[in-house]
Amino acid sequence: MKMYLISLGTGLLVGVIYSLLNVRSPAPPVIALIGLLGMLIGEQAVPVAKRLISGNPVNVSWLNSRCVPHVFGELPTGVDSKDMPDQPSTREIG
């Protein structure tokens, strides 16, 4: 979670600097970001539909294990990579 807060803080700082310099941000408009969110959520419709057609239930644990990681990316867990050797390091600098 710390990396997300650092990223947000950095973005806010850059936004303030852009505003002080009267420079327009190169970030995409909000409508484009909403479209990207729709694409991510829409991609999950196919696995959910396949699961329903096959007669398997779509429960919260299945959604959390299959859909949430794809939509939100790999969220920080606080587990060191030495505890999970097959996973890339999630340790933060600092």
Side-chain angles (χ1 to χ4, degrees), residues 36-77:
L36 288 172
L37 178 62
M39 288 170 56
L40 284 172
I41 294 170
E43 281 182 307
Q44 300 313 303
V46 173
V48 169
K50 284 181 179 179
R51 188 160 174 90
L52 288 172
I53 290 170
S54 70
N56 295 320
V58 176
N59 53 28
V60 174
S61 63
W62 182 84
L63 286 172
N64 284 338
S65 67
R66 299 296 175 128
C67 297
V68 171
H70 181 75
V71 174
F72 292 106
E74 184 178 332
L75 297 176
T77 61

Side-chain angles (χ1 to χ4, degrees), residues 27-34:
V30 173
I31 193 76
L33 297 176
I34 291 172

